Amino acid sequence: MFNLEEFLLMREKRVEIQNEVIENFKNPILVLRANYPGEEKNSFVAKYIVEIIKDEILEIFNSQIIYSKKIESIEGPTYIYSINYSGKNIKKIAMEIEESHILGRCVDIDVFDNNGYPFSRKDFGGEKRQCLLCNDMAFVCARTKKHTQKDVQIAIEKRLEEYLNSERNKIEITDTFSNLALKSIILEVSASPSFGLVSPHTNGSHEDMDFFTFIDSGFSLNSYFKKVVNAGYSPLSVDLIFKKIRFMGKVAENDMFLATHNVNTHKGMIFLMGITAALSAKAKYENLLFNDISSLIKDMCRDILKDFNDIHKKSSLTHGEKLYIKHGVVGVRGIVKNGLDIIFNNSVEIFEKSLVSGEHINSAMIRTLIFLMSNLEDTTILHRHDIEILNFVKLKAKDLHLKFDNNSLDINLLTEIEKEFIEKRISPGGAADLLAITMFLYFIKPYF
């Protein structure tokens, strides 16, 4: 039987715990509880929904969570998180979850700054939350008892059913898209001749890796591909999806280095495929068209060149930042900022045209690689050499692209050019990454 006094005492105890967490860790806190009517705050539905939203919160804030506590009480399950992040930004994210997630209205997510101030929607120009059953404000319906508790519970159960149906679709998309991502990076390293890249026949211009290093590396990323596709198949904004997958990418880099004994085989691929696979899943969730994936990528990466704004203040620079200072080349950041337009407008068509004409997939890969080499400011080449070598590669590739545009490939000639590239220690790694992305997008195109 419901005990009001016990309920109020537990609420007071929770507030004490919240204040203790703020005092101990000096950070804003996020408090998650079920928004479930009636006395059964610990019903299976209420608990299940809280766990689902809890997992979303863990993915979004990941390593920024420095302390967590779960309280089981008459109030229902409650999670308290101390988060090393701006309190205002935490509240904005909490509001987005409450409004965008299918189950967002079925929970309460309160945020307090490191002084205990409780942020409200009014602080951000937001309105009070709407009722689950009508367009009125929820507090108005609650006060006037416009709906019965049973009606609200049924509405929550329908939301949960809708979520579970969506999850079934997510599983199918996650399995399909992640498998095609893995297939694409394995195919890329299988292309031959590949102009100084690693292949089954040669280590190319590399002494620290071979074909089997890439196989080990590729399969170490399989779980990463599943995670980013899963994160992308979501109603959340591209900004929150980006926040999720950036942390996933860091974990994937560690997995890659463990698998390859500290050889960098796929660092650029982790970044590119992570964004592409996640936003392909986002486009699928939103029932968008194939080319809309490019627009989503542009949106997600609209501010990505801001990384270069304060570059002169940094004490240590990445390879990409050094190349930006020396040559003004923005590399892969510029490519994603433009929504992978070189792929959507060109290389997917080149790859598809070759296959439709009856050529072997190896020929399709080589044609696409040549095209990408002819157009790309490949930072892998710039890092290993200089602008003169990059221009040499681009001119050579342009000649080959024109020569074989409407003719069969001359494998003997291409093998000789590959030997020349290996002698010069040239490896078009940036073009190789975009080849894999091209194939991934080609493979998923029929799903749109």
Side-chain angles (χ1 to χ4, degrees), residues 6 23 242 363:
E6 182 183 351
E23 178 63 27
F242 197 22
S363 296

Short mmCIF file of all heavy atoms in Angstrom, two decimals, residues 6 23 242 363:
data_model
loop_
_atom_site.label_atom_id
_atom_site.label_comp_id
_atom_site.label_asym_id
_atom_site.label_seq_id
_atom_site.Cartn_x
_atom_site.Cartn_y
_atom_site.Cartn_z
N GLU A 6 6.34 7.95 3.76
CA GLU A 6 7.57 7.28 3.32
C GLU A 6 8.06 7.87 1.99
O GLU A 6 9.27 8.07 1.79
CB GLU A 6 7.31 5.78 3.15
CG GLU A 6 8.54 4.99 2.76
CD GLU A 6 8.25 3.52 2.52
OE1 GLU A 6 7.11 3.09 2.84
OE2 GLU A 6 9.13 2.81 2.00
N GLU A 23 28.59 18.37 -3.66
CA GLU A 23 29.62 18.84 -2.73
C GLU A 23 30.91 18.05 -2.87
O GLU A 23 32.02 18.61 -2.85
CB GLU A 23 29.10 18.74 -1.28
CG GLU A 23 30.10 19.15 -0.21
CD GLU A 23 30.50 20.61 -0.30
OE1 GLU A 23 29.70 21.43 -0.81
OE2 GLU A 23 31.64 20.93 0.13
N PHE A 242 27.18 12.61 -33.03
CA PHE A 242 28.62 12.87 -33.16
C PHE A 242 29.31 12.74 -31.80
O PHE A 242 30.41 12.18 -31.70
CB PHE A 242 28.83 14.27 -33.74
CG PHE A 242 30.21 14.50 -34.30
CD1 PHE A 242 31.03 13.45 -34.69
CD2 PHE A 242 30.70 15.79 -34.46
CE1 PHE A 242 32.30 13.67 -35.23
CE2 PHE A 242 31.95 16.03 -34.99
CZ PHE A 242 32.76 14.97 -35.37
N SER A 363 38.79 -4.67 -60.85
CA SER A 363 38.92 -3.60 -61.85
C SER A 363 38.13 -2.36 -61.42
O SER A 363 38.59 -1.23 -61.59
CB SER A 363 38.45 -4.08 -63.22
OG SER A 363 39.26 -5.13 -63.71
#
